[in-house]
Amino acid sequence: MAAVGADGRLLGLAHYLFHTSVWTGSSCYLQDLFVDPDARGQGVAADLIEAVAERAAAQGATRYYWLTQAHNARARALYDRVAQHRGFVRYDYPLG
């Protein structure tokens, strides 16, 4: 999904996917959210999050979630306004 300005310039994009889950049925995972640095602070990220939420609801998803780095204060300030942090910590097992 992309956000495009009135001049046709790409302002941001969101990559997301749907998957099943043992506990919640269909889930929507926001894999990546990027906003052009010149467009940050203008509501582009919030608009993209909401647009994906609408698609997730339309697809019948019962969960919509994403990850971010703990030190990403600017993004976390937005995420704290639009979603709930539920305290999970992610671990990655090295496979190769």
Side-chain angles (χ1 to χ4, degrees):
M1 172 172 302
V4 180
D7 61 358
R9 185 173 64 99
L10 181 65
L11 301 176
L13 57 91
H15 291 136
Y16 61 97
L17 57 92
F18 293 96
H19 65 88
T20 57
S21 170
V22 173
W23 298 281
T24 62
S26 177
S27 293
C28 179
Y29 173 56
L30 179 62
Q31 184 179 36
D32 192 23
L33 179 67
F34 174 79
V35 174
D36 183 299
D38 293 336
R40 292 179 184 168
Q42 300 175 29
V44 175
D47 290 347
L48 285 166
I49 290 170
E50 289 302 318
V52 174
E54 290 172 11
R55 292 221 178 145
Q59 290 288 326
T62 57
R63 180 176 176 227
Y64 171 34
Y65 71 104
W66 57 88
L67 304 171
T68 194
Q69 293 177 320
H71 63 79
N72 191 345
R74 186 170 186 172
R76 291 188 69 186
L78 168 63
Y79 302 157
D80 286 344
R81 286 195 310 272
V82 302
Q84 297 174 346
H85 178 258
R86 300 218 171 154
F88 283 90
V89 176
R90 179 182 131 173
Y91 293 88
D92 293 306
Y93 185 95
L95 294 175

